[in-house]
Amino acid sequence: MRTRPLKVALLGCGVVGSEVARIMTTHADDLAARIGAPVELAGVAVRRPDKVREGIPAELITTDATALVKRGDIDVIVEVIGGVEPARTLITTAFEHGASVVSANKALLAQDGASLYAAAERHGQDLYYEAAVAGAIPLVRPLRESLAGDKINRVMGIVNGTTNFILDKMDTSGAGYSEALDEATALGYAEADPTADVEGFDAAAKAAILAGIAFHTRVRLDDVYREGMTEVTAADFASAEQMGCTIKLLAICERAADGGSVTARVHPAMIPLSHPLASVREAYNAVFVEADAAGQLMFYGPGAGGAPTASAVLGDLVAVCRNKLNEAKGPGESAYTQLPVSSMGEVVTRYHISLDVADKPGVLAQVATVFAEHGVSIDTVRQQGKDGEASLVVVTHRAPDAALSGTVEALRKLDTVRGVASIMRVEGE
């Protein structure tokens, strides 16, 4: 074993960063044995230097992150500060000064991963980011290494624990959205401002990263269609139950049937109870992968939290340190296909549409005509009426999303349609 330690600098020492530092200290001997050399925590950049950080010597703490990444004797930078800037500048500066980078920064990777890959390649360094997508779940490395010889056609999953907790509570307890959100906040699953989670921004960033790896093409955050789950109601769950489904906020990345394009999207969807993702409860994450040779695979586990995310960071740290010792380099960006990213309107999907209509003869015929005029085939229809009003539930066959959206707009214009109570896509069939 080499006796000279590999030096690691930590950018950020919050929930995840402090856990990374703790594991590096308490498991130092094991890490050294696995890597082939000791690993030394050589510096920690923070915003609040006066805060007590148990187990981290005060002399390692600095507020000058730029000076830390420019030291020149650092082998690996672990970036867990999040956000786009100053993280982007710090990472590229680290590459310039001979350090590889382990990051958990999904927002930056989704927005500007290509330039980070290019900087790493230019300076002969590694960029690893297992922790950016699904916490402790090994997902990035299987997609870009274990399945590198296969053709991945679809990646569909629950990649945000907060939204899964809320939807699970609405499903199992009958709670409304606000009540379930309050419980998630009280338990620490939801932030004081939950917008990034419940509006799908967090999941969309992860979808962009997954799509890029799976399809060997560049997919940016702006390419991902996004809908939040704040409008999901108890009535939607009741309708899902009647169909033998539940509701999840899904990140879906697909290769077109002809292989000529890809799509990435995040939205609530009904999913059959028979599908493996339907049984994912509480704040857990799971990702379902469909590949030509491997078939169907599912990755499941805790998708957030200090210890789970730190586990993913440390796994990357071991890999990068091994590369440093062996003067090797891990996989870089694979974007050789350069496939276009199609719009949501081109996605072929199914709809569950609930309409409030007048309870009189001919209404169903009018509604069916609208579907036919837009080239959308109806799978099932359920109608209940009382005192001149009725509820009409239509489930479609698969059709382009643009045709389904046009159908809904045309339905709103019918005199016999009082309103569109809910619209939800149906996936996993």
Side-chain angles (χ1 to χ4, degrees):
M1 178 186 293
R2 192 182 84 168
T3 56
R4 184 174 69 82
L6 290 157
K7 294 188 177 183
V8 178
L10 189 60
L11 305 183
C13 198
V15 173
V16 176
S18 59
E19 192 67 16
V20 169
R22 183 191 69 79
I23 295 173
M24 285 184 63
T25 302
T26 58
H27 295 181
D29 291 342
D30 285 339
L31 289 172
R34 294 167 192 172
I35 292 169
V39 178
E40 173 190 331
L41 184 60
V44 181
V46 300
R47 286 183 296 179
R48 296 187 296 275
D50 298 332
K51 181 179 177 180
V52 176
R53 294 173 172 86
E54 187 177 347
I56 300 178
E59 62 268 20
L60 295 183
I61 301 295
T62 179
T63 57
D64 193 344
T66 301
L68 182 60
V69 299
K70 284 183 174 181
R71 272 177 42 172
D73 65 334
I74 301 297
D75 295 289
V76 184
I77 296 291
V78 174
E79 183 271 308
V80 287
I81 57 178
V84 175
E85 287 292 356
R88 173 168 47 200
T89 299
L90 291 170
I91 289 173
T92 54
T93 302
F95 291 144
E96 291 167 3
H97 287 78
S100 289
V101 173
V102 173
S103 176
N105 196 330
K106 55 186 170 288
L108 175 56
L109 287 159
Q111 181 171 312
D112 204 18
S115 70
L116 297 183
Y117 270 125
E121 180 68 26
R122 190 161 55 249
H123 297 286
Q125 303 300 324
D126 277 331
L127 173 63
Y128 276 57
Y129 48 90
E130 184 67 67
V133 175
I137 304 173
L139 185 58
V140 170
R141 199 168 302 157
L143 287 178
R144 73 173 184 168
E145 296 182 32
S146 303
L147 295 173
D150 207 342
K151 179 184 177 183
I152 298 173
N153 297 309
R154 197 173 202 234
V155 179
M156 178 171 75
I158 299 161
V159 295
N160 184 278
T162 300
T163 55
N164 199 58
F165 180 89
I166 293 170
L167 292 173
D168 183 49
K169 288 302 175 184
M170 293 177 69
D171 186 19
T172 57
S173 70
Y177 167 76
S178 296
E179 183 182 353
L181 174 59
D182 288 344
E183 184 175 355
T185 304
L187 292 171
Y189 293 129
E191 301 287 345
D193 179 1
T195 303
D197 293 325
V198 299
E199 294 295 351
F201 291 102
D202 175 84
K206 295 170 182 177
I209 295 170
L210 291 175
I213 300 170
F215 306 132
H216 304 280
T217 199
R218 287 179 179 170
V219 180
R220 299 180 72 253
L221 181 58
D222 291 345
D223 296 322
V224 181
Y225 173 84
R226 178 193 55 80
E227 283 181 25
M229 41 77 70
T230 58
E231 301 300 319
V232 177
T233 66
D236 291 324
F237 275 101
S239 294
E241 183 179 8
Q242 291 179 337
M243 289 182 60
C245 294
T246 189
I247 298 172
K248 299 291 185 182
L249 184 75
L250 298 177
I252 304 171
C253 311
E254 292 179 302
R255 188 190 300 268
D258 64 3
S261 65
V262 299
T263 57
R265 50 195 166 104
V266 169
H267 55 73
M270 293 184 180
I271 187 168
L273 295 176
S274 58
H275 195 283
L277 291 176
S279 61
V280 178
R281 310 297 295 274
E282 298 284 332
Y284 277 76
N285 284 191
V287 177
F288 198 73
V289 178
E290 300 176 28
D292 273 2
Q296 297 179 332
L297 308 170
M298 191 167 93
F299 301 84
Y300 169 84
T309 306
S311 172
V313 169
L314 267 296
D316 278 351
L317 180 62
V318 168
V320 171
C321 286
R322 286 171 176 168
N323 289 345
K324 283 281 184 179
L325 282 180
N326 295 320
E327 297 182 351
K329 190 171 176 295
E333 182 184 30
S334 177
Y336 71 92
T337 62
Q338 299 183 25
L339 295 172
V341 182
S342 297
S343 68
M344 186 62 193
E346 298 174 77
V347 172
V348 177
T349 186
R350 299 179 67 202
Y351 265 26
H352 174 284
I353 304 170
S354 180
L355 304 171
D356 295 326
V357 300
D359 186 17
K360 63 182 183 180
V363 173
L364 180 56
Q366 287 183 335
V367 169
T369 297
V370 170
F371 278 89
E373 289 173 347
H374 287 79
V376 178
S377 177
I378 295 174
D379 183 14
T380 62
V381 178
R382 186 175 69 253
Q383 184 174 4
Q384 292 179 324
K386 183 178 179 181
D387 299 330
E389 298 295 330
S391 173
L392 187 65
V393 176
V394 179
V395 180
T396 73
H397 285 291
R398 291 170 64 82
D401 198 80
L404 289 161
S405 298
T407 302
V408 172
E409 290 307 308
L411 289 171
R412 295 182 192 275
K413 297 176 182 178
L414 291 178
D415 292 339
T416 51
V417 174
R418 309 297 193 216
V420 179
S422 70
I423 309 167
M424 191 165 295
R425 294 174 183 88
V426 182
E427 299 289 345
E429 295 182 323

